[in-house]
Amino acid sequence: MTSEITLFVNPTAGRGRGAHAAQPAASALRDAGFFVRTVLGEDADDALRRAREAVAAGTGALIAVGGDGMMSLALQAVAGTLTPLGVVAVGTGNDFARALGLPIRDPAAAGRLAAEALKSGGVREIDLGRVGERWFGSVLASGFDSRVNDRGNRMRWVGGRFKYDLAILAELAAFKPIPYRVRLDDGPVREIEATLIAVGNGSTYGGGMRICADAVMDDGLFDVTVVGDCSRTTLLKVFPRVYKGTHLSHPEVTVHRVSSIELAAAGVTAYADGEQLGALPLTATCVPGAVRVLLPGTPSGI
C-alpha cells in the first residue's frame, strides 16, 4: 500500500471542529510514517471532484474529517473502489462512526487508529445503501423523521441531539400519518399509512437515535423500521425510546430485513446520512461489501 494518503476535510464541520481536527489527525498519520495530502475544495462539488481525483490517482486511503455529511461525500468517492475509507468524526451527529465503534470528537485517536489499520491491513468491507447514483452508510429517513431532519438542519442556533428534540416537538403540532406505497424485495406493492419508514444500513441517525437498533453493517440487508399510524400522544411516548432502541418492541413498530425497498408517498422528501436525497418515490438497494473501511482489530458482525 502506498504511503501517500489523502485527508478529506470539512473545515466547517461541528461549528469549526473540522479545521481544528485536521491537524492532530494529520500529525498522528505523519508520525506513523505516512505522507499526507489535504483536500478541502471550494464547495461540496469541488471537494468531491478532488477526492475522486485522489482515488483515481491511487491514494493509499481517503481519510474523511468532519461529520456525517462529510462521510457521505467521501462515500461517493470511494464506494465500489479498492481505496479504503478512514473516519475522523468531529461533526454534530457522527452516526456513521458511532455505528462502527470509532472514536467521536477525538481526532488524534481516530488518526492513530487509521494509521494502525493501514499498517496492519485492518480493512473491513461493509455494506452501503444505494439510491440511483447516491450511496449512503447509515439510515435513509422518510416521513416524520425526514421532516424533523429538515427542521433540525435549519436550526443553526443549537447543535447536537438537542436540536432534534426541539424539531420533534415542533413537527408534532402539524403531523398527520402518511399514505405510503411500499414494496419489499420482490414482494407485492402494499399501501399503508405510517408515521415514518426508516431504511437502516447502520443503526442510528440524528446523533444517536437508534431507529434501526439491530441493523448490522455487513449482513447484506437493510433493517426497515416502520412506525405505524400513531396518534400524537402515542408518538410522544414512543419516540423518546428511540435513544435506547426499545421502541422496536412497541406494537405500532415493525421491522423488516430486506435487500431492496421501493418507497412512494406524496410530499415526502427522503434524507440519507442526514443529507437531503430527494422526493419520493425511490428505490434503495443494499450493496454488500461496497466500501472498505479502516477498522483495526474489529470483529465480524459490526
Side-chain angles (χ1 to χ4, degrees):
M1 179 176 287
T2 177
S3 63
E4 181 178 305
I5 60 176
T6 302
L7 206 63
F8 190 39
V9 182
N10 179 1
T12 65
R15 297 188 174 183
R17 281 192 295 268
H20 295 294
Q23 184 172 352
S27 296
L29 290 159
R30 291 190 179 105
D31 289 346
F34 293 97
F35 177 77
V36 179
R37 292 180 61 250
T38 300
V39 167
L40 290 172
E42 296 178 1
D43 53 32
D45 289 341
D46 182 55
L48 178 56
R49 179 184 61 80
R50 292 171 185 261
R52 283 175 167 158
E53 287 175 352
V55 170
T59 186
L62 188 70
I63 313 292
V65 183
D68 285 324
M70 196 62 175
M71 302 309 147
S72 176
L73 204 60
L75 288 176
Q76 313 313 309
V78 299
T81 76
L82 296 177
T83 303
L85 173 67
V87 178
V88 179
V90 292
T92 302
N94 303 309
D95 288 295
F96 187 68
R98 183 176 286 105
L100 294 168
L102 290 170
I104 293 174
R105 301 196 184 105
D106 190 344
R112 288 192 296 270
L113 280 178
E116 178 188 338
L118 284 165
K119 290 198 166 201
S120 66
V123 178
R124 185 167 193 84
E125 293 184 351
I126 66 168
D127 310 333
L128 292 178
R130 190 169 191 177
V131 176
E133 297 301 313
R134 286 275 299 275
W135 300 90
F136 67 93
S138 297
V139 177
L140 184 155
S142 75
F144 177 75
D145 50 1
S146 64
R147 290 172 180 172
V148 167
N149 202 332
D150 190 28
R151 184 178 290 271
N153 286 342
R154 296 196 302 268
M155 292 180 176
R156 304 296 184 184
W157 49 274
V158 62
R161 198 175 80 179
F162 182 58
K163 76 176 180 179
Y164 291 98
D165 294 337
L166 292 177
I168 288 167
L169 293 175
E171 286 298 321
L172 273 171
F175 184 79
K176 295 180 180 179
I178 297 168
Y180 282 92
R181 289 171 59 86
V182 182
R183 184 176 185 179
L184 304 175
D185 288 332
D186 295 324
V189 174
R190 299 166 54 202
E191 295 188 1
I192 63 172
E193 291 221 337
T195 300
L196 66 86
I197 299 178
V199 182
N201 182 57
S203 56
T204 70
Y205 63 8
M209 291 190 278
R210 297 176 56 80
I211 187 67
C212 301
D214 297 329
V216 177
M217 297 183 83
D218 60 358
D219 64 352
L221 296 172
F222 291 133
D223 274 31
V224 177
T225 300
V226 179
V227 179
D229 182 354
C230 291
S231 67
R232 291 186 182 91
T233 300
T234 300
L235 194 56
L236 274 170
K237 292 178 180 178
V238 172
F239 216 84
R241 294 168 58 179
V242 171
Y243 291 109
K244 293 184 178 179
T246 57
H247 65 293
L248 298 183
S249 64
H250 193 278
E252 290 290 348
V253 178
T254 57
V255 177
H256 310 269
R257 290 191 170 89
V258 300
S259 59
S260 68
I261 180 171
E262 297 175 22
L263 287 174
V268 175
T269 299
Y271 281 75
D273 294 340
E275 300 296 303
Q276 190 176 100
L277 193 60
L280 271 54
L282 60 77
T283 299
T285 303
C286 184
V287 182
V291 68
R292 306 171 77 229
V293 182
L294 297 174
L295 292 170
T298 301
S300 62
I302 299 168

